[in-house]
Amino acid sequence: MKPQSAFPLLLAIALAPMVQGIINRTKAIVAGRAGQPLMQPYLDLAKLLRKGAVYSETASWVFRTAPAVGLSAIICAGALIPFAAFPSLTHFGGDLVLLGYLLALGRFAIVLGALDTGSSFEGMGASREIAFAALAEAPLFLALAAIVRETGSLSLTPALGAVSINVWNHAAPSMCLTIGALLIVFLTENARIPVDDPTTHLELTMIHEVMVLDHSGPDFAIVQYSAALKMWFLGAIIVAIAVPWHVGNALADAACALAGIAALGIVTGLIEASMARLRLLRVPTLLLTAAMLSALAFVMVAK
Amino acid sequence: MNQVIDSILILLTLTGFVLLGSSRLAACIKAVGIQGALLGLLALVVQSGDLSITGVVLALIGATVKGILLPVLLFRAMREADTTREVEPLISFNLSVLAGALELAMSLWIGRHLRLPADPVSSFFVPAAIFTILAGLLVIVSRRKAITQVIGYLMLENGVYVFGTAVALRMPVLVELGILLDVFVGVFVMGIAVFHISRQFDHIDSLRLASLNDRV
C-alpha cells in the first residue's frame, strides 16, 4: 500500500460536503437569488455536532448504531474508489461487487434505524428507499460491467484508470450511455430531483429525508455527512469515466478530476433547477431506462 | 465513421424505448419524427464515402417527409380527432419497456445469426433495424388508440428502412421513392380515417371498434 493511496479517501473526507454547497449555490443562482455560502454544509454539520441528541422511547440500540454503521460502510466503500491518478486505498479483483454491497449495507443500517423508531412515516420512506435502491442496483452493476468489459479489469482502480482518450476514441457511444445511466443512479442514490426532493417538508412525498426525521444532533450530522460522502464517491466514478485526459502529472490530473466533480455538482444543480420531481409511480420507469442505457452500453462494448 | 453510425443507431434504439415508455401522445409523435430525421442522417453518413446528388436528395426528402411532414400530419389528426393526450396502453409502460428489452435481446441474437450477402458497416445495424421493427409491432398491438397504431406502423417502416440501408448501400431511386410515397399516402389515409372514426363514434378506441356489427 503506497502512501499516496490514502489521498482519495482524505480528499473525500475533507471536500465531500462542498458538492452539496455547489449544488445549492447553482440552484440559487438559476433562481435569481444570491444563495447560501459554499461552506454552508460544513457550518450546518458543525452546528449539529454541538447539539445534543434526543432519542424516542420506542427506539432501541438499532436506532442509535444506525448512523455509525452507515458512515463506516460508506467510508469502507470509499476505500475502493480511486481518484484521478491516485489509486484507491485497497483494490483486488471483483472489488466493484463489494462496493455495491457496502453501499447497500449503509442503506440497510439507515433503513433498520428508520423502522426501529416505530413511526409509520419512516416505515413508508424506508420501503420507498429500498424499492428504488433495488431498481438502481441493476443499472449501476451493468454500467460497471460495461467498463470492466471495455478495460478488461475486474477491479475499480485499474478499470477506471484505464478509461483514457483511446477508449473514448473507439467506444464513445457506449461511454456516453454509461455516463447517462450512472448519472441517473447518482441522482437516485443521493435522493436528488427528479427522484426525490431534498428540500421537501411534506412527509407524504419524502423518500430519503423521511427516514432520518428522528435523528437529531450529532446522529443527524453523521447521517448527512455519510450522504455527502456517498455523493462524492459515486460522483468520482462518473468523473473518472467522463474526464479521460491523463496529463501524466498526478496533481494536474487530480485538479482536472476536482473540476469534473464541481462540474457534476453544477449539472446536478441545473437538473434540479429545471425539472420537477417525477411522480413516484414514474420513478421505476426512469430507473428501468437507466438499466436499458447501461445494458445497451454493455452490448455495444461486448459485440 | 463507424462511431457516428453506431451513435445514430443507438439514438434510434433509444427513441424506440422513448416511444415504448412515454405516456404522452405528443412525445410519441415527436419521437417518431426524430427517428425519421435520424434515418435521413444515417443514409447520408452510410454513403458519405461516395456521395451522389440523387443519394443526398433522397436522404433529404426522406428526412423531410418522415421528420417533419408526417409528424405535422399526426399532430393535426390528434387535434382534429380531439382526443385526450394520454397514450392509453393495454400493458403498463414499465412492462412495455421490459418487453422492449426482451425484443432488443432477441434482435441481437438474430443479428448475430442472420447471414447477409454483404457485411453491414456496423454489426449493430441489423439488431437496431430488427428492434425498431419489433418495437413498432409492440406499439401497434399494445396501445388502445388508433393514432398510436399509426405511430407504430411508422416505426415499423423506419425499421424496414434501416434494414434496407444496412443490406444495400443504395436502393434504386424508383423503389425508394415508391416506398416513401406509400408511407406518406398510408399515413395520410390513416390520419383521415382516424378523424372520421372519431367524428362518427366520438372516440378512436380501437378495442371498441371490434364489437361493431349489425346485430344490435
Side-chain angles (χ1 to χ4, degrees), chain A residues 209-263:
Chain A
E209 296 297 311
V210 74
M211 285 201 312
V212 296
L213 270 182
D214 270 39
H215 292 283
S216 53
D219 281 356
F220 191 54
I222 293 177
V223 167
Q224 295 286 61
Y225 186 62
S226 325
L229 280 178
K230 190 190 202 178
M231 189 189 289
W232 176 279
F233 292 136
L234 285 173
I237 294 179
I238 296 180
V239 167
I241 301 168
V243 185
W245 300 282
H246 301 302
V247 192
N249 181 346
L251 286 177
D253 281 357
C256 235
L258 277 181
I261 292 224

Side-chain angles (χ1 to χ4, degrees), chain A residues 168-174 177 281-282 284-285 288-289 292-293 296 299-300 302-303, chain B residues 3 6-7 10 13-14 17 21-23 93-94 97-98 101 104 108 112 122-124:
Chain A
W168 270 87
N169 274 342
H170 79 98
S174 43
L177 290 172
L281 289 176
R282 298 288 288 165
T285 313
L288 215 55
T289 317
M292 288 298 100
L293 292 180
L296 207 54
V299 162
M300 295 301 291
K303 71 175 173 146
Chain B
Q3 296 257 2
D6 269 358
S7 307
I10 287 179
T13 318
L14 289 183
F17 276 114
S22 65
S23 59
F93 292 111
N94 290 345
V97 174
L98 274 181
L104 185 62
L108 282 166
R112 183 156 292 183
S122 156
S123 61
F124 195 54

Side-chain angles (χ1 to χ4, degrees), chain B residues 36-101:
Chain B
L38 281 174
L39 289 186
L41 200 63
L42 186 70
L44 275 183
V45 174
V46 164
Q47 51 176 305
S48 66
D50 47 348
L51 267 182
S52 65
I53 294 183
T54 43
V56 174
V57 169
L58 269 181
L60 284 182
I61 292 178
T64 334
V65 170
K66 283 185 179 161
I68 301 172
L69 212 56
L70 294 185
V72 166
L73 269 178
L74 283 175
F75 269 122
R76 216 181 128 236
M78 191 176 101
R79 210 175 39 244
E80 304 260 300
D82 207 15
T83 141
T84 48
R85 289 175 296 171
E86 282 85 28
V87 168
E88 292 181 48
L90 295 174
I91 57 177
S92 81
F93 292 111
N94 290 345
L95 208 59
S96 311
V97 174
L98 274 181

